[in-house]
Amino acid sequence: MNTADTSPRLALDIGAHETMITAAAGTTWTLPVGTASLWPLSGNGPSALAVENAIQTVEDAIERIAAQVPRGAHMVLSGRSLAPLQRGGAIAALAQGSIGLDGIEREYQWLAARAVGAPSARGTGFDDAAGDAVLLILRELMHHLGVRSLHGPD
């Protein structure tokens, strides 16, 4: 990340049952959503209905804090938040050190296709069943908080 950039920097940690966002000044916001709270984790991935319900759940949680969180931030993901996004040993969409909304949207389209059973989406899942939940949480955070980019831990 460019150190001359003056955009706000937020730390993100996605746990099993809650997601914590921390500003550089120490303010912390906790969302009651996590990798194990959106749908039952399985190797088959979520259903289309589970994805839709999860989107609403995450949006509702974000809505409660959105006015307080700085817009246009760069978000730094904890190691445990990044770990489920692996596919075949490589962290999806993190080849250049950051993930933009376009990369998250591409991954989300694969999730949506898998959820409806599209044959073209076979083999696009993450190594860890929690990857889909992390992806969905990241997508909603980026959309609703205006997050510019996601970065791995320093």
Side-chain angles (χ1 to χ4, degrees):
M1 183 164 52
N2 182 355
T3 56
D5 193 335
T6 60
S7 299
R9 185 175 170 141
L10 301 171
L12 177 69
D13 184 50
I14 301 172
H17 298 285
E18 65 183 17
T19 296
M20 296 183 68
I21 302 168
T22 305
T27 304
T28 298
W29 300 273
T30 302
L31 303 176
V33 295
T35 59
S37 66
L38 298 179
W39 54 69
L41 295 180
S42 73
N44 298 332
S47 67
L49 180 60
V51 170
E52 287 301 317
N53 288 338
I55 289 170
Q56 189 61 56
T57 298
V58 175
E59 286 177 346
D60 289 349
I62 292 170
E63 184 177 304
R64 293 184 199 110
I65 67 162
Q68 303 165 39
V69 179
R71 309 261 324 150
H74 293 284
M75 199 166 265
V76 178
L77 282 69
S78 67
R80 80 170 173 168
S81 299
L82 275 175
L85 295 179
Q86 293 190 23
R87 180 182 294 128
I91 295 174
L94 197 56
Q96 302 301 325
S98 69
I99 305 170
L101 183 57
D102 57 338
I104 291 295
E105 278 298 329
R106 264 192 308 280
E107 293 293 339
Y108 174 78
Q109 292 306 315
W110 286 118
L111 166 59
R114 286 191 311 273
V116 298
S120 62
R122 287 189 192 124
T124 63
F126 297 104
D127 297 346
D128 184 331
D132 289 333
V134 169
L135 176 67
L136 187 136
I137 292 167
L138 292 175
R139 178 182 185 257
E140 297 308 315
L141 286 170
M142 292 187 86
H143 277 284
H144 297 286
L145 297 181
V147 173
R148 293 177 55 195
S149 59
L150 303 168
H151 302 266
D154 293 333

